[in-house]
Amino acid sequence: MRRTGLRPRRLVPTGLAIVLAVAFVAGTMIFSDSAKGALVDQYARAARNVDVALTAAPGGRLAPADLEAVRRTDGVASVAGRMRERLPLLDRNGRLVASFGTPGYGIDVGDDSALRPYDLTSGSPPASDGEAAIDSKTAETTGYRIGDSATVVDASDQRRSLRIVGIVAITGGVSTTVLTRAALTRLTDATGYREVVATIGSGAEAEAVRDRLPVPAEAVARTGDQLRRDLAKQAFAQISGLTIGLLLFAAVAVLVAGFVIANTFGILVAQRQRETALLRCVGARRGQILRSLLADSALVGAAGAVLGLVLGYAVAWGLLAGSVALGLQLPSGGLVLTPYPLLVSLIVGPLVTMVSAVVPAVRATRIPPVAALRMAVPATGRSRRSLVVAAALVAVAGTLTTVAGLRLAQPEPAMILVVAGGIGNFLALLLISPLVIGRLVAVLGWLPGRLFGVPARLAIANARRNPGRTAATTAALLVGVGLMAGGSTIAATVDRTAEVQLDQAYPVDYLITPAAGQRGIAPAVGAGLSGDRAFDLIAGVKRADGRVPGGTVTVAGISGAAIGTAYRPEVTAGRLAEFGPGTALVATGEGEVGDQLVVTAGSRKHTVRVAALVQNSDLVGEVILGPGDFAALYPGQRDDSLILLRAAPGTDAPAARQRIDAALAAHPLVQVDDLASVRAERGAAVRQIVGIIAVLLGFALVIALVGITNTLSLSVLERTRESALIRALGLTRGQLRATLLIEALLMAAAGAVAGVAFGVLYGWLTAEAAFGPTDALLVVPGGQLASFVVIAAVAGAGAAVLPSRRAARASVVGAMADA
Amino acid sequence: MTTTHAVRADELVKVYGEGETAVTAVDRVSVTFPAGQFTAIVGPSGSGKSTLMHLLAGLDTATSGSIRIGGVEVTGLADRDLTVLRRDRIGFVFQAFNLLPTLTAEQNILLPGELAGRRPDRPRLAQVAADLGLADRLHHYPAQLSGGQQQRVACARALMSRPDVVFADEPTGSLDTRTGAGVLELLRRSVREWGQTVVMVTHDPVAAGYADRVVVLADGRIVDDLRAPTPDGVADRLQRLGA
């Protein structure tokens, strides 16, 4: 049997669902490959011409003697040492040039021009002490040009002026200044290389030379190929999180497409019941029916996959173009097409279609030949009881898993358990949905029923007549909207909870912290601010590593006056008022109030009494001491690690900020966080996350809407005679259209409402698990959620436009004769 | 009703297709259906009787000619007005698939009234249901009713609003003889007892025998107009047409 006679046009929606799903999968993969390709190209610059490399341990340096040892190694042709030291660069206004809080680096100009990790794009390399080259990205952001004078901050916090003589292209997002080795050594007080790279002579084997290299303790010797591979891995790690996230979304898209396809085939099989029975009558075997249906589905899947691949290419292009919005800084590069996306698309497309078609196809084989002779065959559905039992079992398992997760104190396993439980309960919801969707539609239809009368009531009745089909149609939306609602709820809840915690713990306006890579804030900063009337609360916090019997902790020193005012931790036992000289606040989660706690720092030991147990704060530390006790342990530490600052009443924000900037003018290597702007930034970040989630899941929604169009088109065909009858009885064309639009709207709204309810519940539970013992403050982003429902409902009604037009166009007499 | 004619058609023509493939299904038919009369339109298949009924009932638009229902000119009405006309002035009983499966018998009966936005006339519903023996079936869905019961529900719906005319298209076509006879008896009673006007299309001489008058159609034209017909007379007439 060649084909089942499924009319191609009816398979278009199925194909469309596959096209979209495959486009997302292929798009993600092509994007990921392209991003990797661009990153590899860029990272390869650091390993260009390198045959063997000796890399210092993280934080360590290789001595000049190590370089000489490499030079003397048999087979080595030329050697270059690479210095890389922190060297903050200031912009024209004297502000620190930082990328995500990280100040810039200085590198040396290099011994061998072939082994330089950068390319000179204009000017010349620095040749003398006062000359420097900067990377092109920094030149762009600061506006520095060749011939300009730029300022860097040396190791003793002095500003040094350098003349820019060249611009270089170099890998990495951090600002980079190229100097002569002598100048770099002098400015940073550092000697030694991060890496020694070498070329080998002709006839030498890279592996052999590598094995002969003298390797100091904790350093690593690699061949150039190994280095390139490792650099590539490092590059991929940058984007792997995003890629995994995108692939998860792609999986959701595939899942949703599966629902749509299964539903379409289910309806087609139901509609073609009599034809199938006739085929059985004339001798088609069950296997033949099954095979022909599956063959059809494979064909549709393959066709969809090919088109999806083309669309996927466009998707990848869009992702690449929009990668900045995803928080990525990707080097520009073309799209890279590897065989994998092709292969995966061509497998995923037909496979998903076939798998989704299996259940309907098997159902088709169960149609008895006698069905051809009967007027109507009662629909064979799974028994309600088994459905309820299955759903109940899954729900119990899901709920138990969720509860178990919520009881765990550690966030990560707790979240995994909660999410697993959520998946279980979601499955239960899908199983049970045919039994409840009708009621939900009826409830949602109450208002339209009042407003629109008969069309709305007919729509409700139509949506309820085949609950299995309605449930399957809405399932796709349920998944998409559920994830969106969950994501939004998590983002809002986490954000609000963290904000409240921060506000409670630090009732201040500004946090001053060292710029990344800097050890501390010079004492002069705190001293300068403490005399200022603009601020009524100033607290310096010193931090250092120490040991308590339980393990390594961060020890903080803070003045007693700041406790309860500038720093107000949540107390779990004891009282903050007990804090004073000789006592400690402990946030390790261990011990009791009144315990004697021995704190060790190096060879020093100091015993304090535990005054209170408090909630941990990453900003301060786990063992909090008074200044005297802290000094006893760390007598050499003068720098502050954090300054908490509150503006006095009557000082407005711009004025306060001006005073801070003035006090910090001589100390550029600090970061000032305005808590109000931190809040605003975090709000923007949350909105961005929600936006990204919404855009990505929009794909799933589009597929789900294709499903609605699909279901309705087929329903319209099924109900041709009914429509004709009711038109004859007095339903106008407009009312008939309205009937279908409302039906679609109700289906979409039902899916969206159920999705939102489920998403909010599990979003909150996941956030709760994420905060461990701290209670999360449930925030329901009502506006967003309402907009999801409205968008889904409106889009659902939009999905009904074509089917409803077709239904309304049909002439009454023609429709009666056709059916 | 003030008009003596419930339905009146003048020089009605319906042509399907164009040019060489054009088929004239109804060919200059002029006919009147007086109020309070039960008329059967009979004819062999392809005679145009169904098309004629579709035109008369405003389900299809005529190529030319005019139709008046209850004094209202039907030809030339827009789709929307036609729909309203059908809703308010015409009752329908079709051969099969008369009822919406998602509505109960009662909801089906009340549907046209609801579409018109009228409050359900409960006493009328009770009376019609009692007369048609449906009182205990009102809350059943069509799938729970027998074929005869379904046709009676359809009759009840058609009669509910006391329309100017009830069009019945082979109302007994898918019923067994005895059940069919019950439905025909019902239509005749609605004419005799309530003064209803009924126009029925049928190819069955026995069904036509229930009517007060039989209009015989062949090749799109009226070829005979029999008063007080008998089944044998109608059968004889059809036989002579070569049916």
Side-chain angles (χ1 to χ4, degrees), chain A residues 102-120:
Chain A
T102 307
Y105 279 90
I107 62 172
D108 71 311
V109 71
D111 307 305
D112 181 340
S113 61
L115 286 172
R116 282 175 183 161
Y118 57 85
D119 291 305
L120 192 72

PDB file of all heavy atoms in Angstrom, chain A residues 102-120:
ATOM      1  N   THR A 102      36.335  44.218  36.320  1.00  0.00           N
ATOM      2  CA  THR A 102      37.732  43.795  36.289  1.00  0.00           C
ATOM      3  C   THR A 102      38.585  44.858  35.615  1.00  0.00           C
ATOM      4  O   THR A 102      38.342  45.201  34.455  1.00  0.00           O
ATOM      5  CB  THR A 102      37.877  42.480  35.501  1.00  0.00           C
ATOM      6  OG1 THR A 102      36.957  41.544  36.051  1.00  0.00           O
ATOM      7  CG2 THR A 102      39.283  41.934  35.591  1.00  0.00           C
ATOM      8  N   PRO A 103      39.595  45.388  36.327  1.00  0.00           N
ATOM      9  CA  PRO A 103      40.491  46.358  35.707  1.00  0.00           C
ATOM     10  C   PRO A 103      41.408  45.675  34.701  1.00  0.00           C
ATOM     11  O   PRO A 103      41.426  44.445  34.604  1.00  0.00           O
ATOM     12  CB  PRO A 103      41.306  46.904  36.878  1.00  0.00           C
ATOM     13  CG  PRO A 103      40.726  46.304  38.105  1.00  0.00           C
ATOM     14  CD  PRO A 103      39.948  45.111  37.709  1.00  0.00           C
ATOM     15  N   GLY A 104      42.139  46.472  33.965  1.00  0.00           N
ATOM     16  CA  GLY A 104      42.926  45.932  32.880  1.00  0.00           C
ATOM     17  C   GLY A 104      44.233  45.252  33.270  1.00  0.00           C
ATOM     18  O   GLY A 104      44.658  45.272  34.418  1.00  0.00           O
ATOM     19  N   TYR A 105      44.875  44.646  32.267  1.00  0.00           N
ATOM     20  CA  TYR A 105      46.148  43.968  32.428  1.00  0.00           C
ATOM     21  C   TYR A 105      47.210  44.653  31.587  1.00  0.00           C
ATOM     22  O   TYR A 105      46.906  45.338  30.615  1.00  0.00           O
ATOM     23  CB  TYR A 105      46.030  42.512  31.954  1.00  0.00           C
ATOM     24  CG  TYR A 105      45.413  41.598  32.977  1.00  0.00           C
ATOM     25  CD1 TYR A 105      44.048  41.399  33.014  1.00  0.00           C
ATOM     26  CD2 TYR A 105      46.222  40.956  33.922  1.00  0.00           C
ATOM     27  CE1 TYR A 105      43.485  40.574  33.962  1.00  0.00           C
ATOM     28  CE2 TYR A 105      45.659  40.120  34.867  1.00  0.00           C
ATOM     29  CZ  TYR A 105      44.290  39.936  34.884  1.00  0.00           C
ATOM     30  OH  TYR A 105      43.755  39.120  35.821  1.00  0.00           O
ATOM     31  N   GLY A 106      48.446  44.418  31.982  1.00  0.00           N
ATOM     32  CA  GLY A 106      49.548  44.817  31.140  1.00  0.00           C
ATOM     33  C   GLY A 106      50.280  43.566  30.667  1.00  0.00           C
ATOM     34  O   GLY A 106      50.416  42.614  31.433  1.00  0.00           O
ATOM     35  N   ILE A 107      50.662  43.552  29.391  1.00  0.00           N
ATOM     36  CA  ILE A 107      51.477  42.442  28.911  1.00  0.00           C
ATOM     37  C   ILE A 107      52.743  43.018  28.315  1.00  0.00           C
ATOM     38  O   ILE A 107      52.796  44.200  27.972  1.00  0.00           O
ATOM     39  CB  ILE A 107      50.738  41.569  27.871  1.00  0.00           C
ATOM     40  CG1 ILE A 107      50.391  42.387  26.614  1.00  0.00           C
ATOM     41  CG2 ILE A 107      49.474  40.987  28.471  1.00  0.00           C
ATOM     42  CD1 ILE A 107      49.849  41.534  25.486  1.00  0.00           C
ATOM     43  N   ASP A 108      53.750  42.148  28.189  1.00  0.00           N
ATOM     44  CA  ASP A 108      54.988  42.660  27.627  1.00  0.00           C
ATOM     45  C   ASP A 108      54.964  42.511  26.120  1.00  0.00           C
ATOM     46  O   ASP A 108      54.200  41.722  25.565  1.00  0.00           O
ATOM     47  CB  ASP A 108      56.206  41.973  28.252  1.00  0.00           C
ATOM     48  CG  ASP A 108      56.326  40.548  27.797  1.00  0.00           C
ATOM     49  OD1 ASP A 108      55.303  39.830  27.854  1.00  0.00           O
ATOM     50  OD2 ASP A 108      57.424  40.135  27.392  1.00  0.00           O
ATOM     51  N   VAL A 109      55.832  43.277  25.482  1.00  0.00           N
ATOM     52  CA  VAL A 109      55.778  43.377  24.030  1.00  0.00           C
ATOM     53  C   VAL A 109      56.208  42.076  23.346  1.00  0.00           C
ATOM     54  O   VAL A 109      55.798  41.779  22.237  1.00  0.00           O
ATOM     55  CB  VAL A 109      56.627  44.590  23.572  1.00  0.00           C
ATOM     56  CG1 VAL A 109      58.105  44.302  23.762  1.00  0.00           C
ATOM     57  CG2 VAL A 109      56.314  44.986  22.147  1.00  0.00           C
ATOM     58  N   GLY A 110      56.989  41.231  24.041  1.00  0.00           N
ATOM     59  CA  GLY A 110      57.345  39.928  23.498  1.00  0.00           C
ATOM     60  C   GLY A 110      58.718  39.904  22.887  1.00  0.00           C
ATOM     61  O   GLY A 110      59.177  40.875  22.309  1.00  0.00           O
ATOM     62  N   ASP A 111      59.393  38.721  23.037  1.00  0.00           N
ATOM     63  CA  ASP A 111      60.765  38.601  22.546  1.00  0.00           C
ATOM     64  C   ASP A 111      60.799  38.354  21.052  1.00  0.00           C
ATOM     65  O   ASP A 111      61.662  38.835  20.341  1.00  0.00           O
ATOM     66  CB  ASP A 111      61.472  37.428  23.252  1.00  0.00           C
ATOM     67  CG  ASP A 111      61.381  37.548  24.747  1.00  0.00           C
ATOM     68  OD1 ASP A 111      61.792  38.595  25.266  1.00  0.00           O
ATOM     69  OD2 ASP A 111      60.873  36.608  25.398  1.00  0.00           O
ATOM     70  N   ASP A 112      59.849  37.559  20.583  1.00  0.00           N
ATOM     71  CA  ASP A 112      59.888  37.084  19.208  1.00  0.00           C
ATOM     72  C   ASP A 112      58.573  37.495  18.557  1.00  0.00           C
ATOM     73  O   ASP A 112      57.500  37.113  19.011  1.00  0.00           O
ATOM     74  CB  ASP A 112      60.037  35.549  19.232  1.00  0.00           C
ATOM     75  CG  ASP A 112      60.111  34.974  17.835  1.00  0.00           C
ATOM     76  OD1 ASP A 112      59.684  35.666  16.888  1.00  0.00           O
ATOM     77  OD2 ASP A 112      60.561  33.827  17.706  1.00  0.00           O
ATOM     78  N   SER A 113      58.661  38.274  17.491  1.00  0.00           N
ATOM     79  CA  SER A 113      57.421  38.809  16.920  1.00  0.00           C
ATOM     80  C   SER A 113      56.507  37.693  16.413  1.00  0.00           C
ATOM     81  O   SER A 113      55.309  37.867  16.327  1.00  0.00           O
ATOM     82  CB  SER A 113      57.734  39.805  15.809  1.00  0.00           C
ATOM     83  OG  SER A 113      58.440  39.145  14.778  1.00  0.00           O
ATOM     84  N   ALA A 114      57.076  36.535  16.065  1.00  0.00           N
ATOM     85  CA  ALA A 114      56.233  35.433  15.588  1.00  0.00           C
ATOM     86  C   ALA A 114      55.437  34.807  16.726  1.00  0.00           C
ATOM     87  O   ALA A 114      54.431  34.148  16.498  1.00  0.00           O
ATOM     88  CB  ALA A 114      57.090  34.359  14.920  1.00  0.00           C
ATOM     89  N   LEU A 115      55.923  35.003  17.941  1.00  0.00           N
ATOM     90  CA  LEU A 115      55.274  34.346  19.076  1.00  0.00           C
ATOM     91  C   LEU A 115      54.462  35.317  19.925  1.00  0.00           C
ATOM     92  O   LEU A 115      54.123  35.037  21.067  1.00  0.00           O
ATOM     93  CB  LEU A 115      56.333  33.648  19.948  1.00  0.00           C
ATOM     94  CG  LEU A 115      56.922  32.369  19.349  1.00  0.00           C
ATOM     95  CD1 LEU A 115      58.078  31.863  20.191  1.00  0.00           C
ATOM     96  CD2 LEU A 115      55.878  31.293  19.186  1.00  0.00           C
ATOM     97  N   ARG A 116      54.119  36.468  19.350  1.00  0.00           N
ATOM     98  CA  ARG A 116      53.323  37.423  20.107  1.00  0.00           C
ATOM     99  C   ARG A 116      51.869  36.962  20.170  1.00  0.00           C
ATOM    100  O   ARG A 116      51.322  36.483  19.179  1.00  0.00           O
ATOM    101  CB  ARG A 116      53.358  38.791  19.424  1.00  0.00           C
ATOM    102  CG  ARG A 116      54.646  39.521  19.692  1.00  0.00           C
ATOM    103  CD  ARG A 116      54.656  40.794  18.894  1.00  0.00           C
ATOM    104  NE  ARG A 116      55.924  41.476  19.100  1.00  0.00           N
ATOM    105  CZ  ARG A 116      56.399  42.403  18.288  1.00  0.00           C
ATOM    106  NH1 ARG A 116      55.716  42.757  17.209  1.00  0.00           N
ATOM    107  NH2 ARG A 116      57.553  42.981  18.538  1.00  0.00           N
ATOM    108  N   PRO A 117      51.208  37.178  21.314  1.00  0.00           N
ATOM    109  CA  PRO A 117      49.804  36.757  21.428  1.00  0.00           C
ATOM    110  C   PRO A 117      48.840  37.808  20.888  1.00  0.00           C
ATOM    111  O   PRO A 117      47.645  37.703  21.125  1.00  0.00           O
ATOM    112  CB  PRO A 117      49.629  36.564  22.935  1.00  0.00           C
ATOM    113  CG  PRO A 117      50.579  37.526  23.547  1.00  0.00           C
ATOM    114  CD  PRO A 117      51.740  37.675  22.587  1.00  0.00           C
ATOM    115  N   TYR A 118      49.342  38.833  20.218  1.00  0.00           N
ATOM    116  CA  TYR A 118      48.466  39.885  19.714  1.00  0.00           C
ATOM    117  C   TYR A 118      48.905  40.250  18.307  1.00  0.00           C
ATOM    118  O   TYR A 118      49.984  39.853  17.854  1.00  0.00           O
ATOM    119  CB  TYR A 118      48.533  41.123  20.615  1.00  0.00           C
ATOM    120  CG  TYR A 118      49.918  41.682  20.767  1.00  0.00           C
ATOM    121  CD1 TYR A 118      50.425  42.579  19.831  1.00  0.00           C
ATOM    122  CD2 TYR A 118      50.738  41.287  21.829  1.00  0.00           C
ATOM    123  CE1 TYR A 118      51.726  43.069  19.953  1.00  0.00           C
ATOM    124  CE2 TYR A 118      52.024  41.775  21.956  1.00  0.00           C
ATOM    125  CZ  TYR A 118      52.520  42.667  21.011  1.00  0.00           C
ATOM    126  OH  TYR A 118      53.797  43.139  21.114  1.00  0.00           O
ATOM    127  N   ASP A 119      48.028  40.960  17.615  1.00  0.00           N
ATOM    128  CA  ASP A 119      48.374  41.487  16.304  1.00  0.00           C
ATOM    129  C   ASP A 119      48.377  43.001  16.375  1.00  0.00           C
ATOM    130  O   ASP A 119      47.455  43.601  16.913  1.00  0.00           O
ATOM    131  CB  ASP A 119      47.323  41.069  15.264  1.00  0.00           C
ATOM    132  CG  ASP A 119      47.391  39.592  14.991  1.00  0.00           C
ATOM    133  OD1 ASP A 119      48.472  39.105  14.647  1.00  0.00           O
ATOM    134  OD2 ASP A 119      46.349  38.917  15.152  1.00  0.00           O
ATOM    135  N   LEU A 120      49.391  43.593  15.792  1.00  0.00           N
ATOM    136  CA  LEU A 120      49.448  45.049  15.751  1.00  0.00           C
ATOM    137  C   LEU A 120      48.540  45.507  14.614  1.00  0.00           C
ATOM    138  O   LEU A 120      48.680  45.080  13.473  1.00  0.00           O
ATOM    139  CB  LEU A 120      50.885  45.490  15.501  1.00  0.00           C
ATOM    140  CG  LEU A 120      51.159  46.972  15.720  1.00  0.00           C
ATOM    141  CD1 LEU A 120      51.136  47.299  17.207  1.00  0.00           C
ATOM    142  CD2 LEU A 120      52.499  47.332  15.106  1.00  0.00           C
TER     143      LEU A 120
END
